[in-house]
Amino acid sequence: MIILITGATHTGKTLLAQRLLERFGYPYLSIDHLKMGLIRSGNTSLTPEDDDALTVYLWPIVREIIKTAVENDQNLIVEGCYVPFDWRKDFDERYLPSIRFVCLAMTDGFIEKHFDEIRQHASDLESRPDDTDCTAANLKADNRQIIEGFQKAGELVVLIDDDYEEAIRSIL
């Protein structure tokens, strides 16, 4: 089983992956770790701010890791924001039944009501030394883009609207 977790920034993708690891013992691959390894090693001239270009660059690698895990009947959690809206087109019927897709996004109302908490939890599992771009306006724009893009592609988006923990429990 592959659990593919994506969504907007600061939605708890890494936290969900960690909880799934603890619950099921499945290893997980952070697409952010792959990104930073490639950037720091000099294997790409892209920077952490090149989101769209990073999706184009990283997805073919991540896609083939997923295929390899399915072919070897291995369990794996893959989490990160570099998943294209039309990700399903890259997998045929041999792979799709083995992939569980989870997309997390917050509503505008949740962001307005819980913005300070979102910022407080930003570094719970990963260090974010410079989180100055995390503004309510930026979070709302990013979440709207994720919701619209994945819903337009026919994907179910788990909306975090009222109770964050309840939304995560519903996935677990």
Side-chain angles (χ1 to χ4, degrees):
M1 168 70 66
I2 306 302
I3 303 172
L4 178 58
I5 304 169
T6 194
T9 186
H10 290 75
T11 54
K13 297 178 297 293
T14 305
L15 176 63
L16 177 58
Q18 180 67 36
R19 288 187 181 173
L20 288 166
L21 169 119
E22 292 166 1
R23 185 170 198 175
F24 298 110
Y26 294 1
Y28 78 84
L29 168 68
S30 166
I31 302 173
D32 279 342
H33 291 172
L34 178 61
K35 167 190 77 176
M36 291 311 297
L38 290 164
I39 290 171
R40 288 179 174 173
S41 67
N43 282 295
T44 180
S45 60
L46 297 172
T47 71
E49 288 76 37
D50 296 323
D51 284 340
D52 292 337
L54 282 164
T55 299
V56 171
Y57 182 71
L58 293 170
W59 179 245
I61 299 165
V62 172
R63 174 191 70 214
E64 297 308 316
I65 290 170
I66 291 170
K67 287 180 179 177
T68 301
V70 170
E71 291 162 358
N72 287 293
D73 199 27
Q74 296 169 324
N75 298 316
L76 180 64
I77 301 162
V78 178
E79 67 88 13
C81 59
Y82 303 104
V83 177
F85 299 133
D86 62 349
W87 68 273
R88 285 185 190 269
K89 74 172 177 41
D90 293 324
F91 299 97
D92 61 31
E93 63 280 344
R94 177 176 45 169
Y95 299 101
L96 285 171
S98 298
I99 303 171
R100 170 137 189 251
F101 177 78
V102 177
C103 179
L104 300 174
M106 298 178 283
T107 64
D108 283 359
F110 183 86
I111 294 166
E112 289 169 11
K113 187 174 179 181
H114 299 280
F115 180 70
D116 290 337
E117 291 172 64
I118 294 166
R119 290 289 310 262
Q120 288 172 347
H121 291 286
S123 293
D124 282 356
L125 290 177
E126 58 189 352
S127 176
R128 296 179 195 253
D130 180 16
D131 208 20
T132 53
D133 285 346
C134 182
T135 65
N138 287 347
L139 282 180
K140 287 177 185 179
D142 186 44
N143 279 271
R144 284 185 208 127
Q145 179 183 18
I146 292 297
I147 293 166
E148 180 181 321
F150 280 110
Q151 285 182 340
K152 186 181 262 188
E155 299 293 346
L156 176 65
V157 177
V158 176
L159 291 176
I160 302 164
D161 185 39
D162 182 43
D163 184 338
Y164 178 83
E165 286 299 326
E166 180 58 34
I168 296 302
R169 275 193 302 274
S170 73
I171 297 166
L172 292 172

